[in-house]
């Protein structure tokens, strides 16, 4: 076999949650440029449709927009069933939806804690459960969860965020245990500090940026395009015997003290 063919995702159908901006948009763009058909997901149907139309111009793959609330299990099941009925048999799921909120541990409210659990952890459970049921029937599939270096380490003010990302790491491993026998590979990507519109204030903070650059052996913030290679590996046949693993794309941050 041509080794390059192992990484080919041409024609594969992928759902990327939370893909109208930031890391999710970059991942969706990478898949479309690699030839996949991508379902762009967000809350706003107009925005999801507009993003999908722009991505389709990048080719050779194509994109469609589907808006649904990934924190609502009923909405998730209806959306996944609708995609399947419309001919989009999902072969790749990227659970990317997430949020960050910073506050001292003792000042974090009940409502904010519940919301973070819903967005960062429960949503991945709901979407993966629905999609995996269909993948099991077909005997194959790829599920990729987007974690963070903060599933392993933590800074002051983000204890709830790290707890949800740590939970998603263990959900990845648990899903592997349950689904690997059905021909489904479940793995995760752990981004380090990445420059996106959501982290613009941190990037602009000179002191914090100096800390990130000094703490990262690569000496820079990650760019969203740095994540695409890891996603293509996990989405393709190249990872056919890789399951339950986390690939940290962090410029070496976790490798050093």
């Amino acid at each position: 076999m041509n080794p390059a063919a192992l990484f080919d995702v041409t024609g594969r159908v992928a759902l990327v949650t939370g893909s109208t901006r930031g890391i999710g948009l970059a991942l969706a763009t990478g898949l479309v440029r690699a030839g996949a058909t991508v379902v762009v997901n967000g809350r706003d149907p107009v925005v999801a449709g507009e993003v999908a139309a722009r991505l389709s111009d990048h080719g050779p793959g194509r994109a469609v927009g589907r808006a649904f609330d990934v924190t609502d299990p009923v909405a998730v099941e209806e959306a996944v069933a609708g995609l399947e009925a419309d001919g989009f048999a999902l072969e790749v799921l990227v659970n990317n939806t997430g949020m960050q909120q910073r506050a001292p541990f003792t000042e974090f409210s009940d409502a904010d804690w519940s919301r973070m659990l819903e967005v960062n952890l429960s949503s991945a459970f709901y979407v993966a459960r629905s999609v995996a049921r269909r993948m099991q029937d077909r005997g194959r599939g790829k599920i990729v969860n987007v974690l963070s270096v903060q599933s392993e380490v933590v800074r002051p003010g983000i204890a709830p965020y790290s707890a949800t990302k740590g939970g998603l790491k263990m959900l990845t491993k648990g899903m592997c245990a349950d689904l690997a026998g059905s021909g489904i590979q479940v793995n995760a990507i752990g981004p380090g500090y990445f420059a996106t519109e959501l982290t613009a204030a941190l990037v602009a903070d000179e002191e914090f940026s100096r800390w990130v650059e000094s703490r990262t052996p690569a000496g820079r913030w990650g760019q969203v395009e740095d994540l695409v290679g890891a996603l293509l590996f996990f989405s393709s046949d190249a990872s056919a015997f890789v399951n339950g693993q986390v690939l940290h794309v962090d410029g070496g941050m976790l490798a050093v003290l």
Side-chain angles (χ1 to χ4, degrees), residues 113 116-117 120-122 124-125 145-148 150-152 159-175 188 246:
W113 167 253
M116 188 162 286
L117 281 173
N120 290 358
L121 185 55
S122 293
F125 172 80
N145 296 322
V146 178
L147 308 183
S148 167
Q150 288 152 354
S151 60
E152 302 290 341
Y161 177 81
S162 292
T164 59
K165 289 299 184 178
L168 186 54
K169 177 184 69 175
M170 293 311 298
L171 182 62
T172 300
K173 295 177 181 292
M175 288 164 61
V246 180

Side-chain angles (χ1 to χ4, degrees), residues 26 30 38 45 138 184 188 200 240-241 245 248:
V38 176
R138 291 188 282 270
I184 301 169
F241 199 55
Q245 302 302 308
H248 286 285

Side-chain angles (χ1 to χ4, degrees), residues 8-248:
D8 187 11
V9 296
T10 301
R12 295 198 175 185
V13 181
L15 166 61
V16 184
T17 67
S19 48
T20 58
R21 60 178 180 167
I23 286 175
L25 176 57
L27 297 177
T29 301
L31 286 169
V32 169
R33 287 177 173 168
T37 294
V38 176
V39 179
V40 174
N41 162 257
R43 287 179 176 269
D44 187 323
V46 174
V47 174
E50 290 173 348
V51 170
R54 290 199 304 271
L55 289 187
S56 292
D57 291 338
H58 289 300
R62 66 187 182 103
V64 296
R66 290 294 170 96
F68 59 92
D69 182 356
V70 295
T71 69
D72 180 344
V74 175
V76 166
E77 181 61 24
E78 290 176 350
V80 173
L83 285 167
E84 296 272 336
D86 290 342
F88 297 100
L90 297 173
E91 300 166 272
V92 179
L93 166 63
V94 184
N95 274 317
N96 167 74
T97 299
M99 64 170 289
Q100 172 66 288
Q101 183 168 333
R102 294 173 176 82
F105 176 73
T106 53
E107 297 174 19
F108 214 86
S109 72
D110 294 347
D112 290 339
W113 167 253
S114 295
R115 182 61 179 161
M116 188 162 286
L117 281 173
E118 289 177 356
V119 174
N120 290 358
L121 185 55
S122 293
S123 69
F125 172 80
Y126 296 145
V127 181
R129 181 180 61 182
S130 184
V131 172
R133 288 168 176 162
R134 279 83 177 177
M135 288 179 170
Q136 281 183 316
D137 291 341
R138 291 188 282 270
R140 66 184 187 280
K142 301 279 189 174
I143 298 176
V144 184
N145 296 322
V146 178
L147 308 183
S148 167
V149 292
Q150 288 152 354
S151 60
E152 302 290 341
V153 294
V154 68
R155 284 174 54 82
I158 58 169
Y161 177 81
S162 292
T164 59
K165 289 299 184 178
L168 186 54
K169 177 184 69 175
M170 293 311 298
L171 182 62
T172 300
K173 295 177 181 292
M175 288 164 61
C176 161
D178 279 354
L179 300 174
S182 297
I184 301 169
Q185 289 86 56
V186 187
N187 294 289
I189 297 171
Y193 281 86
F194 274 72
T196 71
E197 60 264 44
L198 299 179
T199 59
L202 293 176
V203 175
D205 184 326
E206 293 184 3
E207 181 179 358
F208 191 82
S209 275
R210 282 195 298 270
W211 177 83
V212 168
E213 292 161 4
S214 65
R215 182 66 180 79
T216 306
R220 64 175 176 86
W221 285 78
Q223 301 300 313
V224 288
E225 295 77 15
D226 293 325
L227 296 165
V228 173
L231 178 61
L232 292 179
F233 170 61
F234 282 142
S235 301
S236 67
D237 291 341
S239 58
F241 199 55
V242 180
N243 224 326
Q245 302 302 308
V246 180
L247 174 54
H248 286 285

